[in-house]
Amino acid sequence: MIPRPEGALRRGLRRLPRPPSLDRGRAVRALFAFALAFGSVTAVAGAEYGAFAAMGCYLDAYGMRDPRPRRALLTALLGGGFVLAFFAGSLAAGHTWAMVAVLSLVTAAATLFVDTLRLSGPGGYFVLLVAALAAFLPPADLTEAALRSGLVALGAACAWLFNSVGRRSPRHRPEQRAAAAALEEVAAFARVVGEAGPGRPEGSSADAHRRACASLHRAWTALDDTRKGWRPHPPDARQLALHALLIRLEGVLAVVEQSLGGGGAALPGRWPHRLSEAAGRVRAGHLPGPGSMPTAAEDGRAPSEPAARWPTPLPPRGSPGAGLRRLSALSSPYPAVALRVGLAVAVGTTIAAFVPVLHPAWVAVGAAAALQGGPGRRPGQRAGTRLAGTVVGVGVTAAVFHSYEPGVGVTVGLATAAHGLSRAVPPTSLFARMLFSTPVALLIVDAASRGGPGLGTLAAYRLLDLGLGLGLGVATALLVPGIPRRRVTAAVHGAVAATGSALRERLRAGKAEPRSEAAAWQAVADLWTMYDAVPAEEIRSTKTADRLWPALLAVRRLLVWVLAAPPAPPAPDEALRAAAEVGALAQAARAGLPGSPALRQVLSTGRPTAPAPAADPELSARLADLHRALARPALQA
């Protein structure tokens, strides 16, 4: 039978990614907060002081994808960082070397804070922007600097209030959206595998597989973040339901992986549709029930999904000391990232001090902008997109205000509208965000420096300064290595070693050992962080992330087996043998990146070319996958 064209078109449209939509609720909240801060202070003390309150409203760029209790705490701390950065920038204004030191330290500290705590948002970019705007203004004495900083605190408080306490959205919306995205990506992966049938080569569906695993990891991370609020609290009904949903989704993903290559059985055709329906219900806020999606036991498949208890497989709640220890660990990418961004800002500010630009502080902002951004976007791509958005934004601003200097009311109204639009566009639309945020910064600076060069001149110099800064940032990324290779290999070693310890305890005792499994979960999460951070630090692809992915996938699948394995009789001999095999792989991972000659040489020295078969066929296959991923990873073309 010849398929109907409209049916084929409908199936093709279902495969297309859903276009990002405008966040109208966030735009409205940003409008109210900005108008309240900028407008009220302007009405009382004038636009030059209202601009300082408007600077504090940049806080609303952070935390929108974090659970509400966690968002409230972290954005409150970051609001204090805004005030301190502005105060330090005000005192450093007019002093070149003091400005170099302050802007560099502010950038490194803000990047370290935001990245380490996984606070969603544009890294330390806006913290530096606030400090740079303060340094751009004429020098102020201690009293005036304290007054201006208090107004910044007022604006930050308005943004915090509207985005934390005053938000009317459901309490668990961020983690529900993450779970719905995971369901959709696993559905897309199942659709690719199911349409091709069993025996499909893995390389042809590698992208869908990677997106499914990454989205599921983000869903687990979002659920883990719900436990980090003002105070510890027991899980509520929605958290428990999402936890059970992700456990079942792990089972479904395992079945789809088994059907991928190797002659696995064909998937039921209704699985992708049921997963997509479940995603829609979860996104709408409905509690997912046991029958809301397919299970791994359907149609005579694998054993039923694991009945993991809360909070397994999540790690126990960590103390601040534990977080600091992970930050200082060799496997953490954050110190290297923060130091390189701080170095770019220092070099850019120093060079700009001896170049005829309007102000070195804006060059520092451009240098940091080239090195700040989300995973998977390289500095060259970010710099080009930011420059394009800034050029258009500056062009529009210069054309509108070429011969017209706006009054106070027009300044407040236009800045408020542009700020709201910049918050409405999705996080992936970097060009649109730069297009709308550029006029906001120019209007704020023009309002704060009455009698200054004028809005048209500010726009022209803004383009020159930012272009120079972006160029210096890209040059820094090209000349200064990003994350050192020893940190990458340390992350691989830590994940493999911790997973091997959890496997040994599982086989030795025949049941779960919470402490070792929690340590393995955290180590694999650290490897995910490293995998996400590496491409964002590369000016050109070094294939480091491609080499990491097979190892990350293999160690994740081994950990899922450890977490999902049902209780069994203890097997101490098997535990020792498996631990020895994984221990040898972990030691080899110290020698170099997966697939490197140094790592292969260590593996071939006194060790078998492949691990000995385990008693459990599935465990044996996953150990062999891990060995193969470290020795000779299959890189995507």
Side-chain angles (χ1 to χ4, degrees):
M1 178 181 295
I2 300 176
R4 298 176 63 183
E6 59 268 21
L9 178 60
R10 192 180 300 112
R11 288 193 300 271
L13 290 176
R14 281 202 304 265
R15 295 191 194 102
L16 292 176
R18 180 180 300 176
S21 57
L22 298 178
D23 193 339
R24 298 177 181 85
R26 184 183 182 188
V28 171
R29 290 190 298 273
L31 280 171
F32 277 109
F34 198 90
L36 177 63
F38 196 5
S40 61
V41 177
T42 298
V44 173
E48 59 273 18
Y49 284 101
F52 302 131
M55 294 177 193
C57 292
Y58 282 129
L59 183 68
D60 61 9
Y62 295 91
M64 296 311 299
R65 298 188 299 277
D66 291 87
R68 188 190 299 176
R70 185 174 188 268
R71 177 175 67 243
L73 174 61
L74 295 184
T75 53
L77 295 175
L78 187 63
F82 268 57
V83 176
L84 292 177
F86 183 88
F87 184 72
S90 298
L91 296 182
H95 308 284
T96 300
W97 297 115
M99 186 169 54
V100 169
V102 166
L103 295 183
S104 303
L105 290 175
V106 165
T107 303
T111 303
L112 203 59
F113 176 86
V114 174
D115 290 351
T116 301
L117 297 179
R118 300 195 314 272
L119 180 62
S120 59
Y125 174 74
F126 279 114
V127 183
L128 170 63
L129 179 61
V130 168
L133 291 177
F136 176 85
L137 299 173
D141 57 23
L142 190 62
T143 303
E144 181 66 16
L147 174 61
R148 296 176 178 180
S149 301
L151 295 175
V152 173
L154 175 63
C158 290
W160 181 88
L161 181 66
F162 276 87
N163 287 286
S164 298
V165 177
R167 190 175 182 186
R168 304 293 298 174
S169 61
R171 174 183 176 88
H172 295 294
R173 173 172 288 182
E175 55 270 30
Q176 286 175 184
R177 287 183 172 178
L183 283 164
E184 288 182 341
E185 294 295 349
V186 174
F189 178 43
R191 188 176 296 112
V192 170
V193 175
E195 290 178 353
R200 180 181 177 89
E202 186 172 352
S204 59
S205 56
D207 288 339
H209 192 189
R210 187 178 307 199
R211 288 194 301 269
C213 294
S215 63
L216 187 52
H217 171 71
R218 286 192 291 268
W220 278 118
T221 303
L223 187 61
D224 184 22
D225 288 340
T226 62
R227 304 184 299 152
K228 300 177 175 66
W230 292 100
R231 62 183 184 277
H233 56 83
D236 57 24
R238 195 170 297 269
Q239 286 174 302
L240 292 174
L242 289 173
H243 179 265
L245 173 71
L246 295 183
I247 290 291
R248 292 196 298 273
L249 190 57
E250 287 283 2
V252 172
L253 179 60
V255 172
V256 179
E257 288 175 337
Q258 290 171 5
S259 300
L260 179 64
L267 289 173
R270 64 182 181 274
W271 274 29
H273 180 66
R274 292 185 62 184
L275 289 168
S276 297
E277 285 185 340
R281 287 194 293 269
V282 172
R283 182 175 286 104
H286 300 299
L287 286 173
S292 61
M293 55 179 289
T295 64
E298 288 185 1
D299 302 298
R301 297 309 202 115
S304 60
E305 69 274 0
R309 299 179 59 186
W310 176 272
T312 305
L314 301 176
R317 190 189 305 273
S319 63
L324 290 176
R325 285 192 296 272
R326 283 201 305 273
L327 171 63
S328 60
L330 186 61
S331 59
S332 173
Y334 303 126
V337 173
L339 285 175
R340 191 169 73 156
V341 178
L343 176 63
V345 169
V347 172
T349 310
T350 303
I351 293 177
F354 303 99
V355 176
V357 296
L358 182 60
H359 204 281
W362 276 1
V363 179
V365 172
L371 301 175
Q372 295 282 343
R377 305 197 63 170
R378 298 188 180 93
Q381 296 172 336
R382 286 197 299 273
T385 305
R386 287 185 186 276
L387 184 59
T390 302
V391 167
V392 176
V394 165
V396 171
T397 305
V400 173
F401 301 106
H402 175 66
S403 57
Y404 167 67
E405 187 68 23
V408 174
V410 174
T411 298
V412 173
L414 290 178
T416 302
H419 181 78
L421 289 173
S422 68
R423 297 297 178 261
V425 297
T428 54
S429 302
L430 181 58
F431 174 84
R433 282 192 288 131
M434 291 302 299
L435 170 63
F436 292 119
S437 63
T438 296
V440 176
L442 293 173
L443 288 167
I444 288 176
V445 173
D446 184 57
S449 54
R450 288 296 177 182
L455 197 55
T457 305
L458 283 174
Y461 275 107
R462 166 70 169 165
L463 180 59
L464 174 64
D465 297 348
L466 185 67
L468 176 61
L470 290 173
L472 290 173
V474 172
T476 303
L478 186 63
L479 299 175
V480 180
I483 302 172
R485 183 166 297 182
R486 60 192 180 91
R487 287 188 173 270
V488 180
T489 57
V492 178
H493 164 77
V496 176
T499 303
S501 298
L503 175 62
R504 182 190 66 240
E505 294 303 318
R506 163 67 74 168
L507 295 174
R508 183 186 63 81
K511 59 181 181 179
E513 204 288 308
R515 182 174 300 179
S516 63
E517 292 182 359
W521 194 96
Q522 185 62 60
V524 174
D526 292 341
L527 182 56
W528 270 104
T529 299
M530 183 65 71
Y531 170 75
D532 285 340
V534 165
E537 290 300 298
E538 298 175 349
I539 188 65
R540 65 171 70 93
S541 177
T542 61
K543 298 297 183 182
T544 301
D546 291 337
R547 290 182 178 276
L548 280 181
W549 171 247
L552 175 57
L553 177 61
V555 74
R556 182 192 182 279
R557 294 184 72 240
L558 180 59
L559 177 60
V560 169
W561 185 94
V562 173
L563 296 170
D573 294 339
E574 183 77 1
L576 292 175
R577 188 160 59 87
E581 294 291 348
V582 181
L585 296 177
Q587 289 302 319
R590 290 180 179 271
L593 293 175
S596 63
L599 190 150
R600 291 201 303 269
Q601 182 179 4
V602 173
L603 282 179
S604 63
T605 304
R607 304 298 306 174
T609 57
D616 187 299
E618 182 63 22
L619 175 59
S620 179
R622 299 195 183 198
L623 287 173
D625 287 344
L626 180 58
H627 185 280
R628 184 165 50 252
L630 290 175
R632 296 186 181 276
L635 302 183
Q636 248 187 306

